């Protein structure tokens, strides 16, 4: 079933408003319920009475002009994303509108229904992510990945996407092998460098839409939806190859290795984050024990001591 979005279209030229509404109805992926207002005053009244997913905003209205129009709407509805509609030569003011707080701009007469559809969907998503980042400290300062709070914030949305699709979700735990030895032998600066380098390698092997997190210490998570079966396992195997090649060069004063634990969940088996992370954690522990044995029987230690 296609998702439905409530759109406020603020446009004072009836012909342009009708053309825009017709474009919305052509969307192959989404349904749009569109309310049209022809002045800023009427738009502000509508924003107070109806919950909108996005505003398509003409900046030049009978009772307001250019960026003042945007500023008034942003002040009245800071939680609603805005895509600005500019005149034919209005690209410069479009860029200014983005700096002021709009999510995107479209030049009238220079877009079709597919471009409009994409601008709305991307605008809604960008606004959601921006609000999340503004409201919560969700990014790990050292690596630039999401932190533990980011994981807990983003997991419900991802789980809901899995419920609505046929694709599998995945949750993969990582921790660095013998990371404590790096800190103890070479110092915490080298330990930080190892964490940053590992984060960069995660970015290389996982898809750009994966949620990558550092939970603290040397613990990392990759979370996402597989576009095809086995994709997460391929990324884990790819990471191992990347690290093996890196270590063989011998250019760093320490090897960079990681144990991994992978768990999947499907539409019918979406579970709370605590359950899926516990399954991945158990798989990580098994992988760590197997890797120790493969290195020549390094003595096993309890899980907490190993991590």
């Amino acid at each position: 079933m296609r998702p439905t979005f409530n759109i406020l279209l603020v446009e004072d030229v009836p012909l342009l408003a009708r053309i825009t509404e017709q474009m919305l109805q052509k969307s192959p992926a989404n349904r749009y319920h569109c309310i049209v207002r022809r002045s800023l005053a009427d738009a502000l009244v509508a924003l107070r009475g109806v919950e909108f997913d996005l505003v398509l905003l003409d900046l030049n209205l009978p009772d307001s002009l250019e960026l003042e129009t945007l500023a008034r709407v942003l002040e009245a509805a800071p939680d609603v994303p805005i895509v600005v509609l500019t005149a034919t030569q209005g690209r410069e003011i479009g860029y200014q509108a983005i700096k002021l707080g709009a999510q995107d701009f479209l030049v009238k007469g220079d877009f079709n229904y597919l471009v409009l559809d994409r601008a709305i969907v991307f605008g809604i998503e960008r606004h959601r992510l921006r609000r999340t980042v503004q409201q919560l400290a969700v990014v790990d300062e050292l690596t630039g990945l999401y932190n533990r709070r980011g994981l807990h914030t983003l997991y419900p949305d991802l789980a809901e996407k899995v419920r609505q699709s046929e694709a599998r979700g995945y949750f993969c735990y990582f921790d660095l092998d013998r990371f404590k030895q790096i800190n103890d032998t070479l110092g915490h600066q080298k330990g930080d460098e190892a964490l940053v380098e590992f984060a960069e390698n995660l970015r290389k092997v996982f898809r750009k839409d994966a949620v990558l997190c550092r939970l603290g210490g040397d613990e990392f998570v990759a979370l996402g939806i597989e576009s095809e079966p086995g994709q997460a396992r391929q990324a884990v195997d790819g990471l191992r190859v990347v690290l093996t090649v890196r270590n063989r060069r011998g250019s760093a004063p320490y090897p960079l290795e990681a144990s991994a634990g992978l768990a999947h969940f499907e539409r019918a088996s979406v579970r709370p984050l605590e359950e899926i992370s516990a399954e991945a954690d158990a798989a990580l522990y098994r992988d760590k024990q197997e890797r120790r044995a493969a290195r020549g029987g390094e003595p096993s230690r309890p899980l907490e001591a190993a991590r």
Side-chain angles (χ1 to χ4, degrees), residues 19-88:
I19 291 173
T20 304
E21 286 186 279
Q22 291 171 349
M23 287 186 184
L24 292 174
Q25 299 310 311
K26 291 182 179 180
S27 170
N30 305 298
R31 297 181 186 275
Y32 293 107
H33 178 248
C34 184
I35 293 177
V36 180
R37 293 294 181 266
R38 298 183 181 179
S39 69
L40 175 62
D42 288 345
L44 296 179
V45 171
L47 285 167
R48 288 194 292 269
V50 180
E51 190 170 314
F52 292 99
D53 295 297
L54 182 134
V55 178
L56 291 172
L57 181 64
D58 179 13
L59 293 181
N60 293 314
L61 299 170
D63 55 348
S64 183
L65 294 176
E66 298 189 340
L67 295 179
E68 177 63 21
T69 306
L70 175 60
R72 294 282 302 280
V73 175
L74 285 169
E75 181 182 7
D79 293 328
V80 182
I82 299 170
V83 172
V84 163
L85 304 176
T86 72
T88 305

Side-chain angles (χ1 to χ4, degrees), residues 181-198:
Q181 295 179 24
I182 298 176
N183 279 332
D184 291 348
T185 304
L186 301 173
H188 289 279
Q189 181 176 346
K190 289 299 182 183
D192 286 350
E193 291 175 5
L195 296 172
V196 171
E197 184 181 356
F198 185 75

Side-chain angles (χ1 to χ4, degrees), residues 13-282:
V13 180
L15 177 59
L16 294 179
R18 187 161 59 251
I19 291 173
T20 304
E21 286 186 279
Q22 291 171 349
M23 287 186 184
L24 292 174
Q25 299 310 311
K26 291 182 179 180
S27 170
N30 305 298
R31 297 181 186 275
Y32 293 107
H33 178 248
C34 184
I35 293 177
V36 180
R37 293 294 181 266
R38 298 183 181 179
S39 69
L40 175 62
D42 288 345
L44 296 179
V45 171
L47 285 167
R48 288 194 292 269
V50 180
E51 190 170 314
F52 292 99
D53 295 297
L54 182 134
V55 178
L56 291 172
L57 181 64
D58 179 13
L59 293 181
N60 293 314
L61 299 170
D63 55 348
S64 183
L65 294 176
E66 298 189 340
L67 295 179
E68 177 63 21
T69 306
L70 175 60
R72 294 282 302 280
V73 175
L74 285 169
E75 181 182 7
D79 293 328
V80 182
I82 299 170
V83 172
V84 163
L85 304 176
T86 72
T88 305
Q89 303 300 322
R91 293 187 181 276
E92 183 57 36
I93 198 169
Y95 294 130
Q96 294 177 32
I98 291 176
K99 292 180 181 178
L100 189 62
Q103 297 303 318
D104 204 349
F105 75 91
L106 296 172
V107 178
K108 294 181 183 181
D110 196 28
F111 63 90
N112 58 24
Y113 72 96
L114 293 174
V115 173
L116 177 61
D117 190 47
R118 185 171 65 246
I120 290 173
V121 173
F122 283 13
I124 291 172
E125 181 64 13
R126 278 195 296 267
H127 184 78
R128 184 188 68 80
L129 291 174
R130 178 188 291 180
R131 295 294 294 180
T132 298
V133 171
Q134 289 173 342
Q135 294 171 5
L136 298 170
V138 297
V139 175
D140 175 58
E141 185 176 352
L142 177 65
T143 63
L145 304 183
Y146 289 108
N147 59 20
R148 186 180 296 273
R149 180 176 287 179
L151 173 64
H152 283 266
T153 300
L154 297 173
Y155 177 75
D157 286 347
L158 187 140
E160 184 59 31
K161 290 178 181 178
V162 171
R163 289 190 184 97
Q164 297 175 3
S165 72
E166 299 293 334
R168 292 193 307 178
Y170 64 86
F171 185 106
C172 191
Y173 251 138
F174 299 93
D175 74 11
L176 301 189
D177 296 341
R178 296 175 287 186
F179 177 69
K180 186 175 183 298
Q181 295 179 24
I182 298 176
N183 279 332
D184 291 348
T185 304
L186 301 173
H188 289 279
Q189 181 176 346
K190 289 299 182 183
D192 286 350
E193 291 175 5
L195 296 172
V196 171
E197 184 181 356
F198 185 75
E200 288 299 320
N201 285 316
L202 285 180
R203 292 187 181 98
K204 290 177 183 177
V205 300
F206 280 92
R207 285 166 51 94
K208 293 187 182 299
D209 57 0
V211 176
L212 302 177
C213 310
R214 179 190 172 214
L215 302 188
D218 63 332
E219 295 182 331
F220 293 81
V221 164
L223 177 71
I225 300 175
E226 292 184 330
S227 60
E228 57 185 36
Q231 188 175 72
R233 173 53 62 187
Q234 292 173 6
V236 174
D237 292 343
L239 178 66
R240 293 252 164 90
V241 171
V242 169
L243 295 182
T244 297
V245 172
R246 178 259 189 207
N247 293 333
R248 285 176 179 170
R249 292 196 194 105
S251 56
Y254 52 83
L256 194 59
E257 300 173 325
S259 298
L262 179 62
H264 287 92
F265 52 100
E266 301 182 18
R267 180 167 59 182
S269 62
V270 173
R271 290 161 283 165
L273 179 60
E274 292 74 16
E275 292 184 17
I276 191 69
S277 62
E279 180 181 335
D281 195 34

